[in-house]
């Protein structure tokens, strides 16, 4: 049984109150982690403030070297980390392995490129006068993250935050505290100095305490509702905030596409990580002429997926992360069926896997915008498919949502691709591609999917303020626009 402590000022501290972390494939308790309250959070922010002064004095190249070692440590410990991810949140080992290597790639990308992205600009004004800009760290960054990519999402913020001279108080999800603790250990092994990274495990109240603390910035990934709460609670202090929130991405298939490729992409995109992915195609729209054959192929491939414990190498679909997440999904499917949707396959708890939070991947058709599956994020293995007549209708249907994270378009026609990419109201568009990310490309949504960017040169700049410096080296004793104004009378 794992015993979780808090990392504050370089020391692992225990606490009075604890909570259980469960293996979602069995319901067994994996370990007990600390439930940090206001006192522990306040202490973590205080030590992070002290540490920030010296961390920011270290040359950026040296900070980047330390961060690069986090990337090395991840690869060194990848076997243990991937197993921990799988037993704590249920995903197949194959996917956990990809998460570890992708995280290392992103950390190293920021370590290699961060310095270049934070070089200021020179701005000539006139003969005597010039300006320049300087990127300065925000201070202490509170990083609050969800459970669905418990290693990647924290480190894609921690790495740029540290390189740019900030210190961090990190709050992992209450469903994956031990992966969060592992991140603290890896940072220590990489040589991140005491107090520069602090880990406070806990629940929503712990996160709220961090938002209400003397922090300088909150970098948040999670649901839109929590994002809105964070924005409200940050208002009084005017913290800098970056919000990566939920999505209901459209997957739009035109009749000229390679239908088999589109089906393969849609089935993988919708069901990998048990459908618990922010950019998963949550509303699939198919051009009328090919809708029936698309649905037939999609259902057939869905029924071939192997459901089981993520630790079994043959498993395609692990359990959902928790009892509550599965119950939410079941309510959404019930709502759709009550309002007229048809279930083409799946949509129930598998009889052979009664202990964990398993759910047979489902395909729904006959859906309308009266149903929660079309209006709210569906965060589990349920695919929702409907048809469209022409491009204008596809655009209208895809944009008929409060979310604006991503979208995926399937066509061989470049004109269609370009028109769709300009008219879809979201932060990211993939064409003939689905659920990919590249460290060098910006990540983030609009509308209820959030604000700010992760990854790329834009991502690191979320963690800095731009200081403008203007210098006049001339010898003039006055300016034509200074007092006294009467001189022009
Ligand atoms: P969640 O909002 O329930 O929790 C996220 C984190 O916020 C957790 O650490 C939680 O303890 C904390 N929290 C809860 N209440 C809080 C409060 N009042 N103040 C501060 N912190 C609080 O989300 P979740 O269920 O963990 O994650 C799933 C959601 O995350 C989905 O909506 C998914 O789309 C979204 N997500 C978005 C992206 C993206 O890049 N846009 C990536 C991954 C996940």
């Amino acid at each position: 049984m794992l015993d979780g402590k808090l990392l504050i000022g370089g020391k692992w501290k225990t606490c009075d109150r604890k909570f259980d972390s469960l293996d979602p494939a069995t319901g067994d308790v994996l370990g007990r982690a600390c439930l940090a309250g206001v006192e522990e959070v306040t202490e973590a922010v205080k030590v992070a403030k002290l540490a920030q002064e010296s961390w920011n004095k270290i040359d950026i190249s040296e900070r980047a070297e330390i961060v690069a070692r986090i990337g090395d440590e991840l690869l060194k410990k990848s076997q243990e980390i991937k197993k921990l991810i799988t037993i704590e949140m249920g995903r197949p080992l194959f996917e956990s392995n990809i998460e570890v290597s992708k995280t290392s790639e992103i950390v190293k990308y920021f370590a290699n490129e961060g310095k270049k992205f934070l070089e200021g600009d020179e701005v000539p004004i006139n003969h005597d006068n010039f300006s320049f800009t300087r990127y300065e760290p925000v201070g202490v960054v509170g990083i609050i993250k969800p459970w669905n990519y418990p290693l990647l999402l924290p480190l894609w913020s921690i790495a740029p935050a540290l390189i740019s001279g900030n210190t961090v108080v990190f709050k992992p999800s209450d469903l994956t505290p031990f992966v969060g603790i592992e991140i603290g250990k890896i940072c220590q092994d990489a040589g991140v100095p005491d107090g520069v990274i602090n880990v406070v495990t806990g629940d929503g109240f712990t996160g709220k305490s961090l938002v209400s603390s003397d922090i300088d910035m909150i970098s948040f990934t999670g649901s839109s509702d929590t994002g809105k709460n964070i924005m409200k609670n940050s208002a009084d202090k005017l913290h800098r905030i970056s919000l990566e929130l939920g999505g209901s991405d459209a997957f739009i298939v035109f009749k000229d596409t390679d239908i088999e490729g589109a089906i393969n992409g849609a089935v993988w995109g919708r069901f990998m990580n048990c459908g618990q992915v922010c950019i998963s195609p949550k509303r699939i729209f198919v051009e009328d002429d090919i809708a029936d054959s698309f649905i037939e192929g999609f259902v057939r491939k869905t029924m071939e997926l192997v459901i089981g414990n993520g630790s079994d190498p043959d498993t395609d679909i692990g359990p959902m992360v928790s009892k509550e997440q599965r119950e939410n999904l079941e309510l959404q499917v019930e709502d759709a069926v009550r309002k007229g949707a048809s279930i083409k396959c799946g949509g129930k708890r598998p009889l052979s896997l009664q202990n964990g939070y398993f759910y047979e991947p489902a395909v729904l058709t006959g859906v309308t915008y009266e149903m929660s599956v079309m209006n709210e994020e569906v965060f589990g293995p349920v695919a929702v498919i409907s048809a469209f007549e022409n491009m204008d209708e596809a655009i209208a249907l895809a944009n008929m949502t409060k979310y604006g994270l991503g979208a995926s378009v399937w066509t061989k026609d470049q004109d269609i691709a370009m028109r769709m990419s300009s008219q879809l109201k979201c932060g990211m568009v993939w064409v003939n591609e689905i659920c990919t990310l590249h460290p060098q490309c910006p990540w983030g949504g609009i509308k209820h999917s959030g604000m700010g960017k992760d990854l790329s040169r834009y991502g690191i700049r979320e963690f800095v303020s731009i200081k403008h410096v203007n210098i006049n080296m001339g010898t003039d004793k006055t300016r034509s626009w200074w007092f006294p104004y009467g001189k022009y009378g």
Side-chain angles (χ1 to χ4, degrees), residues 45 61 72 75 87 91 105 182 200 279 319 325 458 460 488:
V45 174
S61 306
D72 296 334
L75 294 183
I87 53 169
R91 138 168 353 118
E105 183 192 337
E182 191 57 38
V200 287
I279 51 158
Q325 290 288 332
Y458 307 103
I460 196 167
Y488 299 110

Side-chain angles (χ1 to χ4, degrees), residues 3-18:
D3 177 31
K5 296 191 173 135
L6 305 171
L7 177 60
I8 301 180
K11 299 199 170 50
W12 290 96
K13 300 186 173 184
T14 193
C15 59
D16 300 336
R17 294 178 314 142
K18 297 224 161 181

Side-chain angles (χ1 to χ4, degrees), residues 143-149 153 156 171-175 202-211 218 220-227 229-230 233 243-247 276-279 282 321 325 377 379 403 405 428 443-445 449-450 454:
I143 295 185
I144 303 177
K145 294 287 173 170
W147 46 267
N148 68 330
Y149 285 90
L153 295 170
W156 88 9
K171 206 234 36 101
S173 165
D174 36 331
L175 294 173
D203 59 5
F205 183 76
T206 312
K208 199 171 172 191
S209 309
L210 188 54
V211 175
I218 293 289
F220 174 75
T221 306
S223 64
S224 302
D225 283 347
T226 308
N229 264 323
I230 288 178
N233 293 333
L243 302 174
E244 294 291 358
L245 309 178
Q276 305 165 124
V277 180
C278 53
I279 51 158
K282 298 192 181 118
V321 73
Q325 290 288 332
E377 182 174 38
F379 217 58
Y403 298 105
L405 193 54
M428 299 171 279
W443 179 278
S449 294
D454 280 312

Side-chain angles (χ1 to χ4, degrees), residues 94-108:
F94 181 82
E95 293 177 9
S96 298
N97 197 35
I98 294 176
E99 178 170 4
V100 178
S101 54
K102 201 72 191 177
T103 308
S104 173
E105 183 192 337
I106 291 171
V107 166
K108 290 194 168 202

